[in-house]
């Protein structure tokens, strides 16, 4: 038997109302495996920390979302939000399931093309599209979602120069009862700006108006906000039909569905508060079918869901480096997972589970990462058992945004492994090495030599 770690005795105040003298139970059971692969084997093989993606979970959640919408609305199309996680293997799972690509930069656009997505199935969003980006998208018949008037005028010029009719939609922001309102992207509905943009497009006859788009925000906990948004877009579609006899092909409701993570400061767990796909689908489909749009003109409903599809399919595995008492007597555990690879630690109370059975004698613990920075806090305070140096931990629901917003800081970014549906693991992104840095850097001749 391993020698038990020594823990300095401490005095714990018993409060009435506690379930037992041992206090509150850990929020989770140990997680010892993912899709049949042992955590300890994964770490032995691929190092620590390591990101793990479950292809099985990815496909399962996608199909849950798809079912929720297709059972409520006749024409549904998903478009994978590249910025949520643009690893090629992850994008391709969604493309295999039938998802188009939704991109917000020239880099992401090129990535989608390189992944084999036909240009006409790429939705190009975002405030920054260079003329070169736009030209490429026009020539590929991609769906360009206009963000501002300057972009609209550039497209008109390009249309003249290239003698082509770009396929466009406009992004629309609006009051849906969610504050602060995201009014910096697209054209505003209430002020009449969106209608103004639509009239300019229709009167110019230079652009092919395909659809209307909105993305009301992210981690939206109110399904009703989507109903409001869908109704407002439907009203614009009806106005276009009345004034120009123009029937749009699609309404794109963007992303923003909440995942089951718990936001910092939330009173209840995200498991209990996030609306289900069914609730979002109810809200959006009733906004559309109860509008004045004629049945034969019902547009395709496009969804750019990111976070809610991928978050639960991602795990971050790591190792305990040390335990330590803080000056105020609180226990802290230092892990090899820092905020540089877990950006979402700034927003979420992440679920951290030991990867081996543990005693239920728990204590409030601060969980820190390995960076030499005071902000490197994974959990300020959580009920946690005592783990010893070398024990493993699993952080769940981290598939969204961490692998695109991560920072390289004092350590190499780790490997990313995908476990396929038959339980086999594949490296889908290598860890960084000193070699990679050497390739990107150069030293001027006069700095090559020095003597100490
Ligand atoms: C980021 C983004 C999405 C995805 O948002 P989630 O909150 O991850 O679902 C969809 N559409 C646009 C335009 C975006 O910018």
């Amino acid at each position: 038997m391993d020698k038990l770690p020594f823990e300095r005795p401490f005095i714990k105040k018993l409060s009435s109302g506690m379930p037992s003298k041992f206090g509150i139970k850990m929020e989770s059971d140990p997680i010892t495996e993912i899709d049949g692969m042992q955590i300890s084997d994964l770490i032995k093989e691929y190092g620590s920390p390591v990101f793990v993606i479950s292809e099985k979970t990815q496909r399962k959640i996608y199909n849950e979302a798809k079912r929720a919408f297709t059972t409520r609305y006749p024409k549904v199309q998903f478009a994978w939000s590249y910025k949520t996680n643009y690893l090629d293997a992850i994008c391709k799972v969604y493309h295999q399931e039938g998802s188009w690509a939704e991109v917000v930069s020239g880099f992401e656009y090129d990535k989608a093309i390189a992944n084999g997505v036909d240009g006409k199935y790429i939705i190009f969003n975002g405030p920054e599209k260079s003329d070169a980006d736009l030209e490429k998208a026009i020539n590929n018949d991609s769906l360009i979602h206009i963000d501002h008037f300057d972009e609209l005028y550039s497209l008109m010029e390009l249309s003249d120069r290239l003698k082509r009719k770009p396929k466009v939609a406009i992004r629309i922001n609006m009051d849906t009862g969610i504050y602060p309102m995201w009014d910096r992207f697209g054209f505003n509905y209430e002020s009449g700006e969106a209608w103004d943009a639509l009239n300019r497009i229709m009167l110019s006859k230079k652009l092919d108006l395909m659809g209307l788009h909105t993305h009301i925000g992210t981690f939206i906990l109110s399904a009703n906000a989507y109903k409001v948004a869908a109704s407002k877009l439907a009203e614009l579609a009806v106005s276009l039909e009345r004034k120009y006899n123009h029937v749009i092909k699609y309404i794109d409701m963007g992303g923003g569905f909440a995942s089951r993570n718990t936001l910092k400061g939330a009173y209840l767990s995200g498991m209990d508060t996030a609306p289900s796909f069914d609730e979002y689908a109810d809200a959006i489909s009733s906004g559309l079918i109860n509008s004045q749009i004629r049945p034969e003109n019902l547009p395709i409903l496009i969804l750019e869901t990111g976070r809610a599809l991928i978050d639960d399919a991602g795990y971050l595995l790591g190792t305990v480096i040390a335990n330590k008492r803080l000056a105020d007597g609180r226990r802290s555990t230092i892990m090899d997972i820092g905020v540089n690879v877990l950006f979402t630690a700034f927003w979420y109370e992440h679920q951290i589970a030991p990867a081996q059975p543990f005693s239920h004698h728990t204590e409030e613990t601060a969980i820190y990462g390995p960076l030499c920075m005071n902000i490197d806090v994974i959990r300020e305070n959580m009920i946690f058992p005592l783990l010893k140096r070398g024990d493993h931990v699993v952080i769940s629901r981290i598939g969204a945004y961490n692998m695109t917003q991560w920072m390289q800081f004092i350590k190499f970014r780790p490997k990313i492994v995908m476990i396929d549906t038959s339980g086999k693991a594949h490296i889908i992104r290598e860890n960084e090495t000193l070699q990679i840095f050497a390739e990107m850097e150069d030293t001027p001749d006069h700095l090559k030599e020095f003597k100490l």
Side-chain angles (χ1 to χ4, degrees):
M1 191 186 143
D2 288 345
K3 191 173 159 227
L4 292 172
F6 172 75
E7 255 291 88
R8 191 178 75 179
F10 65 98
I11 294 171
K12 190 163 161 186
K13 190 174 153 205
L14 294 183
S15 4
S16 60
M18 282 288 181
S20 77
K21 72 173 181 176
F22 299 112
I24 303 169
K25 191 176 167 291
M26 245 302 269
E27 10 180 295
S28 68
D29 291 326
I31 298 181
T32 55
E33 48 108 39
I34 299 169
D35 293 354
M37 295 212 65
Q38 293 297 311
I39 302 299
S40 48
D41 292 345
L42 284 164
I43 287 180
K44 207 184 291 163
E45 179 80 23
Y46 303 107
S48 179
V50 59
F51 283 97
V52 176
I53 303 287
S54 159
E55 183 187 343
K56 190 164 109 188
T57 308
Q58 221 192 314
R59 291 188 189 271
K60 180 172 144 267
I61 297 175
Y62 178 85
N63 282 293
E64 282 167 14
K66 186 172 154 191
R67 182 178 181 280
F69 282 90
T70 52
T71 48
R72 289 170 174 83
Y73 193 80
K75 295 178 267 183
V76 177
Q77 178 62 53
F78 280 84
W80 174 240
S81 156
Y82 265 48
K83 79 170 184 297
T84 310
N85 193 320
Y86 43 58
L87 285 160
D88 293 345
I90 286 179
C91 297
K92 284 181 180 180
V93 169
Y94 292 122
H95 297 324
Q96 278 189 352
E97 292 285 348
S99 245
W100 295 356
E102 184 273 325
V103 305
V104 293
S105 68
F107 159 71
E108 288 193 347
Y109 187 91
D110 291 345
K111 223 168 186 305
I113 292 282
N115 275 340
V117 181
D118 189 323
K120 59 178 183 288
Y121 302 126
I122 302 179
I123 294 173
F124 199 169
N125 283 316
E128 190 216 359
K129 307 178 192 83
S130 68
D131 277 2
D133 292 336
L134 288 173
E135 189 170 332
K136 199 170 358 179
I138 293 168
N139 287 328
N140 288 335
D141 267 337
S142 300
L143 301 163
I144 302 168
H145 287 187
I146 307 170
D147 187 76
H148 43 70
F149 281 111
D150 288 312
E151 188 181 337
L152 175 58
Y153 300 135
S154 292
L155 280 167
M156 289 180 178
E157 277 169 10
L158 283 164
S159 158
D160 284 340
R161 182 154 69 74
L162 303 172
K163 312 230 170 340
R164 292 185 70 122
K165 223 172 165 189
K167 289 187 164 31
V168 302
I170 63 165
R171 175 157 175 180
I172 298 162
N173 67 67
M174 64 190 86
D175 187 351
T176 58
I178 300 289
Y179 308 105
M181 207 174 107
W182 277 24
D183 60 359
R184 55 170 287 187
F185 302 109
F187 302 90
N188 184 252
Y189 176 85
E190 286 80 16
S191 70
E193 189 185 29
W195 183 233
D196 187 31
L198 291 171
N199 281 305
R200 283 174 203 281
I201 291 172
M202 292 311 300
L203 293 170
S204 83
K205 299 195 165 58
K206 291 178 191 198
L207 311 176
D208 188 2
L209 180 67
M210 302 287 288
L212 300 171
H213 171 232
T214 191
H215 171 63
I216 60 175
T218 193
F219 216 97
I220 303 292
L221 287 164
S222 150
N224 191 59
Y226 285 94
K227 186 171 174 175
V228 175
S231 314
K232 288 185 174 177
L233 293 189
E235 268 173 44
L236 287 175
V238 170
S239 304
L240 284 165
E241 221 179 296
R242 274 204 205 114
K243 183 164 173 184
Y244 297 100
N245 216 5
H246 180 76
V247 177
I248 53 154
K249 304 268 187 316
Y250 65 84
I251 281 185
D252 179 344
M253 293 299 299
F257 301 157
S259 69
R260 298 195 163 236
N261 261 304
T262 305
L263 289 174
K264 275 190 190 254
Y267 184 64
L268 292 169
S269 149
M271 289 295 280
D272 302 322
T273 50
S276 62
F277 287 125
D278 290 328
E279 290 170 86
Y280 289 120
D282 264 339
I284 291 173
S285 57
S286 46
L288 296 179
I289 62 173
N290 297 334
S291 71
Q292 295 302 312
I293 300 179
R294 273 195 293 250
E296 66 274 20
N297 292 344
L298 269 186
I300 298 171
L301 166 61
I302 297 182
L303 297 154
E304 303 170 342
T305 314
R307 188 193 302 277
L309 291 181
I310 191 66
D311 233 3
D312 280 20
Y315 299 84
L316 184 50
L317 281 40
T319 304
V320 171
I321 295 168
N323 291 298
K324 194 166 179 177
R325 283 279 162 198
L326 302 175
D328 66 3
R330 227 171 0 133
R331 188 167 76 200
S332 72
T333 293
I334 308 170
M335 307 185 308
D336 60 0
I337 294 171
V339 293
N340 55 330
V341 290
L342 193 66
F343 197 77
T344 51
F346 293 123
W347 320 111
Y348 293 150
E349 303 283 17
H350 277 294
Q351 186 209 40
I352 308 173
Q356 50 283 307
F358 53 86
S359 87
H360 280 278
H361 190 89
T362 56
E363 198 183 329
E364 286 186 7
T365 306
I367 314 273
Y368 295 133
L371 309 181
C372 248
M373 281 169 82
N374 205 38
I375 59 161
D376 191 24
V377 182
I378 302 298
R379 286 289 298 267
E380 249 128 53
N381 203 348
M382 78 177 283
I383 305 290
F384 208 62
L386 178 69
L387 300 188
K388 58 180 192 301
R389 181 174 165 82
D391 278 350
H392 300 315
V393 294
V394 178
I395 307 186
S396 311
R397 297 199 181 92
I398 54 81
Y401 296 102
N402 288 304
M403 286 160 254
T404 48
Q405 289 187 308
W406 53 1
M407 289 172 279
Q408 192 273 318
F409 179 66
I410 74 168
K411 282 164 64 108
F412 298 131
R413 278 178 278 207
K415 285 188 174 58
I416 303 177
V417 172
M418 176 181 271
I419 304 179
D420 71 18
T421 51
S422 66
K424 190 167 174 294
H426 308 260
I427 296 174
I428 59 169
R429 192 180 194 273
E430 272 298 345
N431 55 285
E432 288 163 339
T433 57
L434 205 50
Q435 176 68 23
I436 287 175
F437 289 86
E439 276 167 21
M440 288 193 291
E441 289 190 37
D442 210 355
T443 309
D445 282 341
H446 71 284
L447 297 177
K448 283 191 173 139
E449 305 279 325
F450 58 83
K451 244 187 17 228
L452 295 177

